[in-house]
Amino acid sequence: MTETTASPRGDAPSAADPLPLAGVRIVSFCHFLQGPAAVQYLADLGAEVVKIEPITGAYERHWSGADLYVDETSVFFLSANRNSRSLAVDLKTQEGKDVVATLIAGADVVVQNYRPGVLERLGFGLDDCKALRANIIYAAATGYGSSGPLVSKPGQDLLVQARCGLAAATGSSPTPVGGAVIDQHGAALLAMGVLAALVKRAATGKGGLIEVSLLNAGIDLQMEGITSFLTGGFGKDRFARHPRLATWLHEAPYGSYQLTDCSIVIALTDAVTLAEALDSEVLRQVVHLDLYKARDRYAQVLEDVLATLSYEDVAAGLDRHGVWFAKVQTYADLASDPQLQHNQVFRAVEINGAEVTLVNHPVRYDGAVPPLRRFALRPGQDTKEILLELGYSDTDIETFASNKSIAIGETRPWSEKQSKD
């Protein structure tokens, strides 16, 4: 295990000021993104997390977006598995089950995002875990819920974007969002549920069941639009709009527009103010339009006006008149964004000499970023340490390993690259 020292900026608490979840023990049966991201939020806050992995490692170790690996470690894995330890175990063996049962008996929380029924068949469903610790908090994340007509269907971000209406509501024709927004929102909801259960248990001594689904998370993401749509009794044709307009429910000019040298978005503003900000006679001629009922016509006029102008042409006027706008950035712009730098959003880590840029925990606690304490870069690299803590002997561990009930992974070098600020 590699430990790092506090940054000169003080982004790690002192020994006298422990992390909020210090002492909370979590067993994670999580893979893909929603579950690991949820557990990472909790691990960042100081929870002692053990990730239960197959002998060959969790799914996210074997796939990576853009086929990107660093020192044979998937960047997909790196994005959502920091601050946890790895226990590689074969849950189909009795020895493996006994090890995990011993671990759960001393844990506070179990988090899992397998399809409904999988962990029950392996002997680690809610009732099984309650038998090991009566006041356990059991948090289950699924695609569509733990029961119902879709319970056996695969739950994955893109599929749920389609099911929950998000893809239909995005763009002038069905357009998936360019990131795993439902996975990530579902992860935040799952972490929130665990925190609520921990507070309840502190007050009552009782554990409980927390359930989060991607489908519910996808609906929750759209509470404004869905509430308006269902209350208004609209039909699906209401989604149709000019391709520059961002949503079906906002009036023009709310959307994105191409300039000669970049794109900008314009949020809420009135037609008179925008015409003056751009000093446009063409826009002054359409200030009488209803910006919702005639939004397509107005958007087309505005698109034609802006297509002839540069960012330098429009920025000062928009600022001066208080128009809400922003330049459209790509991921290539983010590392040099001064506000993101000020917010300490990114963290550089060196893994066997190669640099990886991670996204930090999003919340600041007394102005500080939670520290990066550990990385299980290989499946099972913490197996021996965990089993020794559970009371197993070196002989036991050697026997389990020879029987392939567990795997002991190598430790790979990593270090946090300190800021020069």
Side-chain angles (χ1 to χ4, degrees):
M1 179 180 71
T2 303
E3 299 290 346
T4 59
T5 58
S7 161
R9 296 167 300 182
D11 62 353
S14 67
D17 184 24
L19 291 166
L21 295 185
V24 173
R25 292 160 294 183
I26 297 176
V27 176
S28 170
F29 295 93
C30 291
H31 55 172
F32 294 97
L33 183 56
Q34 180 193 18
V39 171
Q40 179 171 266
Y41 290 138
L42 302 170
D44 286 345
L45 294 179
E48 301 169 15
V49 176
V50 174
K51 181 181 180 73
I52 307 299
E53 302 192 59
I55 297 293
T56 56
Y59 170 86
E60 64 268 23
R61 291 188 184 273
H62 305 289
W63 181 89
S64 188
D67 197 28
L68 189 59
Y69 293 79
V70 174
D71 190 34
E72 300 181 2
T73 301
S74 158
V75 174
F76 180 36
F77 173 86
L78 293 174
S79 70
N81 285 277
R82 64 172 171 258
N83 287 332
S84 295
R85 292 192 290 175
S86 170
L87 172 61
V89 59
D90 185 351
L91 290 177
K92 295 180 180 178
T93 67
Q94 190 58 51
E95 291 171 336
K97 289 182 178 180
D98 290 343
V99 166
V100 173
T102 303
L103 186 64
I104 291 173
D108 299 293
V109 184
V110 169
V111 184
Q112 63 103 340
N113 69 328
Y114 281 83
R115 289 195 195 182
V118 171
L119 278 191
E120 284 78 5
R121 289 193 294 274
L122 290 171
F124 295 105
L126 172 62
D127 291 339
D128 303 302
C129 291
K130 286 173 67 176
L132 295 168
R133 180 164 182 179
N135 66 345
I136 196 80
I137 293 167
Y138 193 91
T142 60
Y144 304 102
S146 59
S147 60
L150 297 180
V151 68
S152 64
K153 295 293 184 180
Q156 187 269 341
D157 191 279
L158 180 60
L159 305 180
V160 177
Q161 285 194 40
R163 185 88 190 188
C164 73
L166 181 59
T170 303
S172 56
S173 61
T175 306
V177 179
V181 294
I182 295 179
D183 267 326
Q184 205 66 47
H185 186 53
L189 294 177
L190 185 59
M192 180 180 73
V194 170
L195 292 173
L198 286 168
V199 171
K200 176 185 175 182
R201 195 176 70 177
T204 68
K206 297 179 180 179
L209 172 64
I210 305 300
E211 295 182 282
V212 174
S213 73
L214 291 177
L215 183 59
N216 286 14
I219 297 296
D220 186 65
L221 268 177
Q222 305 172 84
M223 63 172 66
E224 176 192 11
I226 290 174
T227 300
S228 298
F229 190 93
L230 296 180
T231 301
F234 301 125
K236 61 183 180 181
D237 60 334
R238 182 56 63 118
F239 286 157
R241 60 189 180 276
H242 190 280
R244 290 297 176 189
L245 295 173
T247 78
W248 68 271
L249 72 159
H250 286 90
E251 63 271 17
Y254 197 90
S256 66
Y257 299 88
Q258 182 67 48
L259 303 177
T260 59
D261 54 353
C262 67
S263 291
I264 61 170
V265 296
I266 299 175
L268 303 171
T269 191
D270 65 89
V272 173
T273 299
L274 189 55
E276 295 306 312
L278 294 173
D279 192 19
S280 169
E281 288 300 325
V282 174
L283 290 178
R284 290 186 181 106
Q285 293 172 14
V286 292
V287 295
H288 64 283
L289 292 178
D290 183 308
L291 292 185
Y292 190 73
K293 293 180 180 178
R295 59 187 179 153
D296 286 357
R297 179 182 170 192
Y298 185 87
Q300 184 60 60
V301 173
L302 179 59
E303 178 183 38
D304 293 342
V305 168
L306 290 175
T308 66
L309 302 174
S310 69
Y311 186 79
E312 184 177 358
D313 294 332
V314 305
L318 294 174
D319 268 332
R320 188 167 58 251
H321 285 81
V323 175
W324 293 1
F325 78 103
K327 189 175 184 179
V328 175
Q329 297 195 139
T330 71
Y331 289 176
D333 303 311
L334 300 184
S336 59
D337 184 296
Q339 188 63 52
L340 294 178
Q341 291 177 342
H342 176 79
N343 291 354
Q344 300 178 33
V345 166
F346 300 113
R347 154 179 264 135
V349 176
E350 289 187 357
I351 298 175
N352 206 18
E355 185 170 317
V356 177
T357 299
L358 301 177
V359 176
N360 270 328
H361 186 90
V363 184
R364 301 295 173 260
Y365 304 87
D366 296 321
V369 182
L372 176 56
R373 296 174 286 117
R374 62 174 74 242
F375 246 133
L377 298 177
R378 292 290 186 269
Q381 76 170 47
D382 305 296
T383 296
K384 184 173 183 178
E385 177 184 71
I386 293 166
L387 265 63
L388 288 172
E389 291 173 1
L390 293 176
Y392 291 97
S393 67
D394 286 326
T395 301
D396 293 330
I397 295 170
E398 291 172 6
T399 300
F400 295 164
S402 65
N403 293 341
K404 297 185 178 179
S405 298
I406 63 168
I408 300 174
E410 63 175 323
T411 299
R412 301 297 292 164
W414 68 272
S415 62
E416 184 169 359
K417 187 174 181 180
Q418 300 295 344
S419 171
K420 297 178 181 179
D421 297 342

